[in-house]
């Protein structure tokens, strides 16, 4: 299946590279200097912040009826996708299942999580299936404690597997391919949930971790006392748990999105098609290389920060949250056009509407170009703000600003790479 991603070629994005890069560098440097001069103490309070919503809203949101309805919705939607995969035509132009997986789920979780918080935790059909299976007679009620060491590494592995399926596998839209992949994914997680309990899904399920990570930037969240609140998204971002595998999860998001943009380059297409390794192994190496490059640059930045500012018990995870808005910027820039065109088309196919007009992007080429550049630059500026606040909290004033220079260099490097993918 060929899905028209948001990033196009130079003629699709009529914007001057000079002005794009100049604007990006200006925004990063101005924000860095302003923060260094005006922001000398940490202002973000993590899960201690937020204005409580009315008690009635909280009761409705937490009501068993509401949660049961959402779980039922998620399970019904997944069963519909399964039926389309089993009984529908093996043609993405006539079968909505591929669009449901690659557009409505993968891309649709971005705005849904930003607006409503970690929605996949309630919609996740695997959680619902696990609960139903646990009620069967003879099922054990006790589970082994979930080990702390793996953290989010299982979710990072799951995200890599999904992006490999979408970007590298020979026929990602084939009903057979999707059926095998989704069935295998479900079986693995249900087995682990049977062993470790429902808590497995929070860090083990790729889509739950993905949704929860993006939801850190949602204005809707929960305080540490469980109260539903409206908050500055930076407070939610600051509350991101420093878990093992957090860096890997964010780097998979960044690296896979970067590879997705680069994979449309004619020179890369020619390289993998003529590679002696074969198309799939060569493309796999490209995807792994993109993720490894993103991760290596971040690890190098963390090492330099530690040299400048002195020892810190968790130099890698301490600033990992600052990569989340960057990943969000890339996701918005890359997939906006895909969501607003392929999303409605998938829904139209699912409801069986005949003679429906082909959905068109609400933005022309110029508007799309501006949106993509703004999304990338804004993501990096937000990352600079999050990193600065964490730096002035962790390090003495004399070293806090100097310790951010490696992070600024990293943001500039990521910006150059992101804009280059957009504009070339």
């Amino acid at each position: 299946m060929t899905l028209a991603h948001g990033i196009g070629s130079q003629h699709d994005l009529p914007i001057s590279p000079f002005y794009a890069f100049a604007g990006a560098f200006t925004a990063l440097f101005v924000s860095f200097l302003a923060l260094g001069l005006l922001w000398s103490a940490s202002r973000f309070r993590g899960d201690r912040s937020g204005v409580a919503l009315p008690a009635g809203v909280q009761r409705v949101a937490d009501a068993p009826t509401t949660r049961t309805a959402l779980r039922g919705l998620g399970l019904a939607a997944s069963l519909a996708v399964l039926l389309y995969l089993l009984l529908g035509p093996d043609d993405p132009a006539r079968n909505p299942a591929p669009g449901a997986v690659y557009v409505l789920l993968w891309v649709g979780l971005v705005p849904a999580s930003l607006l409503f918080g970690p929605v996949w935790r309630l919609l996740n059909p695997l959680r619902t299936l696990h609960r139903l299976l646990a009620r069967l007679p003879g099922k054990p009620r006790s589970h082994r404690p979930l080990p702390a060491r793996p953290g989010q590494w299982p979710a990072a592995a799951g995200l890599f597997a999904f992006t490999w399926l979408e970007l590298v596998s020979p026929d990602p839209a084939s009903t057979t391919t999707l059926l095998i992949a989704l069935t295998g994914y479900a079986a693995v997680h249900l087995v682990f949930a049977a062993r470790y309990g429902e808590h497995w899904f929070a860090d083990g399920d790729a889509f739950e971790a993905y949704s929860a990570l993006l939801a850190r930037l949602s204005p809707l969240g929960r305080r540490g006392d469980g109260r539903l609140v409206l908050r500055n998204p930076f407070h939610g971002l600051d509350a991101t748990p420093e878990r093992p595998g957090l860096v890997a999860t964010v780097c998979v998001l960044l690296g896979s999105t970067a590879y997705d943009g680069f994979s449309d380059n004619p020179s890369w297409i020619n390289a993998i098609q003529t590679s002696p390794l074969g198309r799939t192994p060569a493309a796999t190496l490209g995807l792994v290389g993109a993720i490894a490059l993103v991760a290596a640059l971040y690890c190098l930045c963390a090492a330099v920060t530690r040299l400048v500012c002195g020892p810190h018990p968790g130099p890698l995870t301490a600033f990992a949250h600052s990569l989340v808005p960057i990943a969000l910027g890339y996701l918005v820039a890359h997939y906006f056009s895909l969501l607003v065109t392929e999303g409605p088309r998938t829904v139209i196919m699912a409801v069986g509407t005949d003679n429906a007009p082909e959905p068109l992007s609400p933005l022309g080429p110029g508007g799309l170009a501006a949106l993509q550049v703004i999304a990338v630059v804004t993501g990096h500026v937000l990352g600079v703000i999050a990193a600065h606040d964490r730096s002035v909290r962790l390090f003495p004033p004399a070293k806090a600003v100097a310790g951010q220079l490696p992070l600024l260099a990293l943001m500039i490097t990521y910006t150059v790479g992101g804009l280059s993918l957009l504009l070339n």
Side-chain angles (χ1 to χ4, degrees):
M1 173 175 62
T2 302
L3 296 174
H5 291 343
I7 294 178
S9 57
Q10 179 76 24
H11 67 275
D12 292 323
L13 301 178
I15 190 169
S16 167
F18 172 79
Y19 289 115
F21 284 109
F25 293 155
T26 300
L28 287 172
F29 278 114
V30 169
S31 60
F32 176 79
L33 291 175
L35 290 169
L37 293 173
L38 304 175
W39 198 309
S40 59
S42 176
R43 302 183 183 186
F44 302 146
R45 296 182 291 117
D47 59 6
R48 295 171 294 161
S49 67
V51 178
L53 292 176
V57 175
Q58 174 110 14
R59 283 195 298 270
V60 172
D62 292 340
T65 302
T66 303
R67 293 175 175 267
T68 300
L70 290 174
R71 293 189 185 102
L73 176 63
L75 185 60
S78 65
L79 290 176
V81 171
L82 180 62
L83 288 175
Y84 275 116
L85 290 175
L86 288 171
L87 305 176
D90 193 7
D91 179 3
R94 295 186 296 127
N95 191 328
V101 174
Y102 294 122
V103 181
L104 298 183
L105 173 60
W106 176 242
V107 184
L109 271 180
V110 176
S113 301
L114 288 176
L115 290 174
F116 305 111
V119 292
W120 194 245
R121 186 174 299 165
L122 289 175
L123 295 172
N124 190 350
L126 298 182
R127 272 189 185 261
T128 306
L129 281 175
H130 169 73
R131 290 190 172 197
L132 294 174
L133 292 173
R135 294 178 181 177
L136 294 177
K139 296 293 289 183
R141 300 299 178 185
S142 60
H143 302 94
R144 295 190 178 188
L146 188 64
R149 175 172 289 185
Q152 288 190 336
W153 277 103
L159 284 174
F160 175 79
F162 180 81
T163 54
W164 182 92
L165 177 71
E166 180 193 15
L167 304 175
V168 175
S169 63
D171 195 2
S174 163
T175 55
T176 301
T177 299
L178 272 174
L179 191 59
I180 292 173
L182 295 179
T183 303
Y185 184 86
V188 168
H189 285 282
L190 289 174
V191 167
F192 276 102
R195 183 180 181 89
Y196 295 113
E198 190 173 336
H199 295 296
W200 162 261
F201 294 107
D203 285 333
D205 181 26
F207 298 102
E208 275 208 21
Y210 171 58
S211 175
L213 202 57
L214 296 174
R216 291 292 170 184
L217 286 166
S218 172
L220 186 66
R222 290 187 185 271
R223 284 198 309 236
D225 59 5
R227 192 66 189 268
L228 198 62
V229 297
L230 287 177
R231 66 189 179 189
N232 180 338
F234 278 113
H235 293 298
L237 183 63
D238 186 66
T240 303
E242 297 181 28
R243 302 290 309 282
L246 173 63
V247 174
T249 301
V250 181
C251 288
V252 169
L253 285 177
L254 284 170
S256 61
T257 307
Y259 176 78
D260 197 358
F262 180 70
S263 64
D264 291 333
N265 189 293
S267 61
W268 176 250
I269 294 174
N270 181 67
I272 61 174
Q273 288 178 342
T274 59
S275 171
L277 298 175
R279 178 203 170 277
T280 301
T284 301
L285 289 177
L287 176 61
V288 172
I291 295 171
L293 177 61
V294 169
L297 289 173
Y298 177 75
C299 291
L300 177 62
C301 170
V304 175
T305 299
R306 187 169 184 174
L307 288 175
V308 173
C309 297
H312 185 271
L316 285 177
T317 56
F319 294 94
H321 70 299
S322 66
L323 299 183
V324 176
I326 299 174
L328 175 61
Y330 285 167
L331 289 168
V332 172
H334 195 72
Y335 291 119
F336 171 81
S337 181
L338 178 68
L339 179 63
V340 299
T341 55
E342 294 295 332
R345 192 173 75 87
T346 299
V347 175
I348 289 171
M349 278 194 289
V351 300
T353 304
D354 295 326
N355 301 320
E358 187 74 14
L360 299 175
S361 174
L363 299 177
L368 179 61
L371 172 68
Q372 293 177 318
V373 172
I374 290 171
V376 170
V377 175
T378 301
H380 285 84
V381 171
L382 297 181
V384 168
I385 295 173
H388 176 85
D389 188 86
R390 183 63 56 87
S391 183
V392 296
R393 179 189 305 169
L394 295 178
F395 304 120
K399 295 183 177 180
V401 175
Q404 290 178 74
L405 291 175
L407 287 166
L408 178 63
L410 178 70
M411 301 297 180
I412 292 174
T413 303
Y414 283 168
T415 303
V416 169
L419 292 181
S420 296
L421 290 174
L422 285 173
L423 299 173
N424 291 292

